[in-house]
Amino acid sequence: MKDTLRQAALEYHKAGRPGKITVVPTKQLSNQRDLALAYSPGVAAACEEIVKDPANVVQYTSRGNLVGVISNGTAVLGLGNIGALASKPVMEGKAVLFKKFAGIDVFDIEINETDPEKLVQIIAGLEPTFGGINLEDIKAPECFYVERELRKKMNIPVFHDDQHGTAICVTSAFINGLGVVGKNISEVKVVVSGAGAAALACLDLMVDMGLPIENIWVSDIEGVVYKGRTTLMDPDKERFAQEIEKRTLAEIIVDADVFLGLSAGNVLKPEMVKMMASNPLILALANPNPEILPEDAKAARGDVVMATGRSDYPNQVNNVLCFPYIFRGALDVGATTITRNMEKAAVYAICKLAKEEQNEVVAAAYGTVGLSYGPEYFIPKPFDPRLIVRIAPAVAKAAMDEGVATRPIEDLQTYAEQLQQFVYYSGSFMKPIFSMARRFKKEGGKDRIVFTEGEDERVLRAIQVLVDEKVCTPILVGRPAVIKTRVQRYGLRFDLDKDVEVVDSEHDERYNRYWTEYWEIMRRRGVSKEFARLEVRRRSTLVGALMVRFGEADGMICGTIGRYSNHLELIDQVLGKAPGVSTYAAMNIILTQESMIAIADTHINAQPNAQELAEIAVMSAREMRYLQLDPKVALVSSSNYGTDKPSSGQTMRDALEIARELDPTLEIDGEMHVDTALDEKLRQRVMPDSPLKGAANLLICPNVDASNIAYNLLKVSAGSNVAIGPFLLGTSAPVHILTASSTVRRIVNMAALAVVDANTRKDGN
């Protein structure tokens, strides 16, 4: 690990509340009655119902959505046997993936026990707590025994991800890869480097999918696995031993159709690749360094088709493709185990998805627009939002077909639609935006983003992230000496001469050109030459806006210091509104544990009229569509479909009619209370024929006070301060005004959005 990444990772884990997970109550506990319901005496009622029927535990507790991620730390990542305590950061990380990708709650449990029998006893005793068990980082061959025994003893799904998660993803790549090279699974020769838990589980599943066991040749650290070998052998490995005299990987690789690597970097040499059969499929999955790099394999011969475990090459094989969604499906039908057919169902779902047209968000994000199933794309991208809606229902159906589902789902189509809720407020929300920004930068697109508060600590820390992640070319407005001192003080690593451009706010050669242009813009609006010189010298946002006007920057981030209105005034003077736009607006997106909510207008229009509110709604909806979100707009008020007579009620009713004229396709309704907007059942009772379906995800408030209060209240109380924005809407250029409370992550997010906006903006929108 590079020192820079190591330091950043340590800072990430210890910042704020240490670690990556916490426990959050799902019910109110705000008064004596709540306490009586949650604990004594009310809790006894729930206990009694479970005594009557154990199946009731799913109705009255969190067990049906709770997974135990359990390890003894004997085979952690690439770190080996580091022990249970040191494995905790990894298990917390796995918990985060479960939650972010599939909405599954997790308790991570690290057990200080290496005796497999005792480990089985401990874990089996935890069954009342969990709806499923994910075993992690337990070394072979003990992991095989532990999982087998637990599956016998426990009546809930037990899944060793190192084995089965890897096996499902690898087998999917294997099957689709064979389709690309045009070879039959029953005829290919497969050579394997590595014989740990992951490799053996992959081979077991591949055999069940149709690969003849006699066509498999395995090697490990001791060489070829052959009949009669005694060193580092166990029954699971013995199954794949061949009657053979060859003892090295180089010897068995001859005429191989497929190479599967789950071992170590650089063990497959270019000369070995040359000895393989025509159109070889190479799955080099060691991380971070694969058994052979794709460029080296393709240099050896041009007919190679490859997959690796890395995100910077095509065809990344990553366990996150499957394990959150397998548990999602298994939990939702109350599966008592995870069967082989459930695993096969996941394989088929992954394979099928790769053969469909690419999701447009993923295609744009990864720079694979126009790419279809073939050598460069035969397994879905890990952040494809369709994974959960394909894999979870397939697994659920397989569980029901096999009779292991205790809570069968009647309508799988409706179930799949419900799963969409996890797509957009998961960890994948910003991933496509960052990938798109990196691609634009790499391809020489518009990526110069000027940061007008270039001396601010948060901005400088954000610049380090943007440089590390290659998101943009930052331009800092500030005093070079001050910036240099602060970069050193904060322990940052970016080079002021190579990684960024610095605009000297005191002695820049462009100063005369800038103030002259500003004076030309403003001289008929009461600005003298002397005042123009002074303003450009002291207003860094003015400098940034002029850089964008001159084409010397592609976008701008400002606002971490000072009043929002002051920044907007300067932007309006220099850049102005987009064509056809009559008002600006600010929109913020809040990501909560359960939903994504956008609110507008949070910063600009004090008391907008109906026309302005309609325009704000349409602009905000357009921005959401740009983010691949389906806007469901509620015009909110203290009046609920005419129940009250505030002025905002009539204004909102008028705005509704105007918005429908401006965008007839928009799903919008109002005026309504916020609870009516967010609760479809309540809305159906009040207004059964409302065109708004489901929970609204875009709230248009009657004035800036209501919007700003609602936004900050949700951000702090429900969003854990996780917000994206403010988006400045209605401008002629990609600029965003942040706020004094902006975090480093929010600055980074908005910079990435500015890059994408600069490269995709059309007609000022």
Side-chain angles (χ1 to χ4, degrees):
M1 186 188 300
K2 294 181 179 180
D3 288 342
T4 55
L5 179 59
R6 177 184 178 83
Q7 189 57 43
L10 292 175
E11 195 67 32
Y12 172 87
H13 280 80
K14 74 177 183 180
R17 181 179 294 183
K20 299 188 283 286
I21 59 175
T22 188
V23 176
V24 178
T26 60
K27 302 294 189 299
Q28 294 271 351
L29 194 63
S30 54
N31 53 46
Q32 183 61 38
R33 178 171 174 75
D34 289 343
L35 182 61
L37 294 173
Y39 200 54
S40 182
V43 72
C47 295
E48 289 166 353
E49 290 301 307
I50 297 170
V51 171
K52 290 179 187 177
D53 182 358
N56 286 334
V57 70
V58 176
Q59 296 185 51
Y60 299 114
T61 76
S62 64
R63 185 176 186 262
N65 193 54
L66 185 62
V67 166
V69 172
I70 299 178
S71 179
N72 65 357
T74 52
V76 177
L77 292 173
L79 302 175
N81 188 354
I82 61 173
L85 184 63
S87 75
K88 187 170 178 60
V90 180
M91 301 311 118
E92 286 190 358
K94 200 62 175 265
V96 169
L97 295 178
F98 269 108
K99 186 65 176 180
K100 290 295 184 181
F101 282 97
I104 295 172
D105 296 316
V106 165
F107 290 159
D108 65 293
I109 298 181
E110 295 74 34
I111 300 174
N112 195 22
E113 180 58 69
T114 57
D115 184 304
E117 292 186 6
K118 291 182 180 178
L119 194 59
V120 167
Q121 292 175 3
I122 294 170
I123 297 172
L126 298 173
E127 182 169 351
T129 302
F130 297 109
I133 298 291
N134 183 92
L135 300 175
E136 193 79 17
D137 294 347
I138 300 171
K139 73 180 182 72
E142 289 90 336
C143 61
F144 302 118
Y145 172 83
V146 170
E147 187 194 52
R148 278 195 294 262
E149 291 302 306
L150 287 174
R151 287 192 169 188
K152 293 177 187 177
K153 293 176 180 292
M154 303 182 80
N155 204 37
I156 57 174
V158 177
F159 187 82
H160 185 204
D161 187 47
D162 298 325
Q163 293 181 59
H164 303 295
T166 303
I168 290 166
C169 296
V170 170
T171 302
S172 301
F174 171 67
I175 290 174
N176 273 5
L178 288 182
V180 170
V181 299
K183 297 186 179 183
N184 192 306
I185 191 172
S186 64
E187 299 172 353
V188 291
K189 175 183 177 181
V190 177
V191 171
V192 185
S193 175
L200 296 180
C202 290
L203 293 177
D204 283 337
L205 184 54
M206 289 159 67
V207 168
D208 283 355
M209 298 294 289
L211 176 64
I213 195 167
E214 60 269 20
N215 290 10
I216 300 172
W217 309 72
V218 180
S219 67
D220 61 10
I221 194 170
E222 289 293 323
V224 173
V225 175
Y226 60 89
K227 296 286 187 183
R229 196 181 106 172
T230 57
T231 306
L232 289 182
M233 292 295 288
D234 58 70
D236 295 283
K237 192 185 297 185
E238 181 68 36
R239 182 183 180 212
F240 298 100
Q242 289 271 19
E243 193 76 57
I244 189 176
E245 297 298 324
K246 297 175 181 178
R247 295 293 183 264
T248 67
L249 178 61
E251 291 177 299
I252 61 174
I253 199 72
V254 177
D255 294 329
D257 297 287
V258 180
F259 170 82
L260 170 59
L262 287 156
S263 53
N266 305 313
V267 300
L268 183 65
K269 307 300 181 184
E271 53 270 24
M272 297 182 191
V273 174
K274 293 178 180 179
M275 295 188 289
M276 296 180 70
S278 61
N279 301 314
L281 174 62
I282 297 178
L283 309 176
L285 307 179
N287 255 322
N289 299 314
E291 285 78 4
I292 188 170
L293 290 170
E295 55 265 35
D296 294 337
K298 291 176 181 178
R301 55 190 300 169
D303 60 348
V304 169
V305 172
M306 279 200 70
T308 69
R310 287 175 39 161
S311 60
D312 52 346
Y313 289 108
N315 301 314
Q316 182 191 12
V317 180
N318 188 317
N319 283 21
V320 80
L321 278 170
C322 71
F323 74 79
Y325 317 124
I326 289 172
F327 269 98
R328 182 73 276 157
L331 289 172
D332 289 342
V333 295
T336 57
T337 187
I338 292 179
T339 67
R340 181 61 96 192
N341 282 337
M342 291 164 71
E343 294 175 8
K344 287 183 176 181
V347 171
Y348 291 133
I350 293 170
C351 288
K352 182 179 179 182
L353 180 56
K355 294 177 182 178
E356 298 179 18
E357 74 284 354
Q358 285 197 83
N359 176 272
E360 58 183 349
V361 182
V362 177
Y366 285 90
T368 56
V369 176
L371 191 65
S372 59
Y373 175 68
E376 299 296 301
Y377 178 71
F378 56 81
I379 190 165
K381 300 292 185 182
F383 284 88
D384 193 318
R386 296 170 296 181
L387 284 165
I388 189 170
V389 297
R390 302 302 171 79
I391 296 176
V395 170
K397 184 179 185 301
M400 291 189 292
D401 290 344
E402 287 206 84
V404 298
T406 61
R407 299 189 303 278
I409 295 172
E410 292 185 6
D411 188 343
L412 284 171
Q413 180 60 40
T414 300
Y415 171 60
E417 292 172 0
Q418 293 171 348
L419 290 171
Q420 289 279 3
Q421 66 178 304
F422 298 111
V423 172
Y424 294 115
Y425 58 85
S426 71
S428 64
F429 187 90
M430 284 299 297
K431 175 66 177 181
I433 300 298
F434 278 95
S435 296
M436 290 171 74
R438 281 191 288 266
R439 179 171 64 84
F440 287 130
K441 176 175 172 56
K442 183 178 180 180
E443 295 175 355
K446 298 178 180 180
D447 74 313
R448 300 166 302 169
I449 305 299
V450 58
F451 297 82
T452 61
E453 291 91 26
E455 297 176 5
D456 184 81
E457 178 181 356
R458 290 165 298 165
V459 171
L460 292 173
R461 292 191 182 279
I463 296 303
Q464 184 65 70
V465 176
L466 294 166
V467 169
D468 287 344
E469 297 189 8
K470 298 180 175 60
V471 171
C472 68
T473 299
I475 303 170
L476 298 176
V477 180
R479 294 164 292 178
V482 173
I483 293 174
K484 183 177 181 180
T485 299
R486 292 183 180 179
V487 166
Q488 294 172 344
R489 179 190 305 165
Y490 304 143
L492 305 176
R493 298 164 280 99
F494 64 85
D495 191 321
L496 290 179
D497 297 321
K498 297 178 181 179
D499 298 323
V500 303
E501 177 186 343
V502 177
V503 177
D504 190 340
S505 57
E506 294 181 334
H507 306 290
D508 195 277
E509 61 183 14
R510 293 167 286 193
Y511 172 69
N512 287 336
R513 178 160 54 90
Y514 286 172
W515 77 255
T516 302
E517 178 72 10
Y518 181 60
W519 179 63
E520 288 290 342
I521 297 168
M522 298 296 295
R523 63 179 181 169
R524 290 186 178 273
R525 286 188 269 177
V527 173
S528 65
K529 286 185 177 181
E530 291 74 17
F531 188 73
R533 290 192 188 101
L534 178 63
E535 283 289 89
V536 173
R537 181 74 73 191
R538 68 182 181 176
R539 308 288 189 193
S540 61
T541 294
L542 193 51
V543 173
L546 287 163
M547 292 189 74
V548 174
R549 182 182 177 93
F550 279 118
E552 295 167 2
D554 302 309
M556 181 174 78
I557 302 295
C558 63
T560 56
I561 299 172
R563 294 173 59 189
Y564 193 100
S565 58
N566 291 343
H567 293 282
L568 180 61
E569 180 182 10
L570 298 174
I571 291 168
D572 182 51
Q573 290 173 354
V574 175
L575 299 173
K577 299 182 183 73
V581 172
S582 64
T583 187
Y584 296 107
M587 180 182 78
N588 280 275
I589 292 176
I590 302 150
L591 303 179
T592 74
Q593 290 292 331
E594 299 180 353
S595 64
M596 183 284 304
I597 301 174
I599 300 178
D601 162 36
T602 53
H603 290 87
I604 297 172
N605 296 282
Q607 200 67 47
N609 58 36
Q611 178 67 40
E612 290 170 332
L613 284 166
E615 194 169 322
I616 291 167
V618 171
M619 287 194 299
S620 299
R622 185 186 303 128
E623 186 70 19
M624 289 185 69
R625 287 174 180 144
Y626 167 68
L627 294 170
Q628 301 300 317
L629 300 170
D630 184 19
K632 296 177 180 293
V633 189
L635 302 171
V636 296
S637 167
S638 60
S639 173
N640 200 35
Y641 293 113
T643 59
D644 203 356
K645 301 297 181 182
S647 59
S648 68
Q650 184 60 53
T651 303
M652 285 301 191
R653 288 193 289 275
D654 295 341
L656 176 64
E657 298 306 314
I658 299 171
R660 285 173 173 168
E661 291 178 7
L662 292 173
D663 185 355
T665 67
L666 191 59
E667 189 175 334
I668 183 171
D669 201 8
E671 86 286 13
M672 65 179 75
H673 290 167
V674 170
D675 57 353
T676 306
L678 300 181
D679 187 337
E680 183 179 27
K681 292 181 179 178
L682 176 59
R683 186 167 62 253
Q684 287 177 339
R685 289 202 302 270
V686 176
M687 190 62 59
D689 62 346
S690 172
L692 186 61
K693 304 302 178 186
N697 58 13
L698 172 56
L699 306 182
I700 306 299
C701 299
N703 55 53
V704 74
D705 287 343
S707 298
N708 194 273
I709 292 168
Y711 160 63
N712 281 293
L713 181 63
L714 279 173
K715 180 184 69 173
V716 175
S717 63
S720 301
N721 211 32
V722 179
I724 301 171
F727 297 80
L728 180 56
L729 308 177
T731 60
S732 64
V735 299
H736 296 293
I737 306 170
L738 305 187
T739 61
S741 64
S742 295
T743 61
V744 171
R745 175 48 59 181
R746 201 179 311 167
I747 296 169
V748 171
N749 285 343
M750 296 310 295
L753 282 160
V755 171
V756 175
D757 192 9
N759 284 277
T760 56
R761 175 176 285 261
K762 295 179 181 179
D763 300 326
N765 294 319

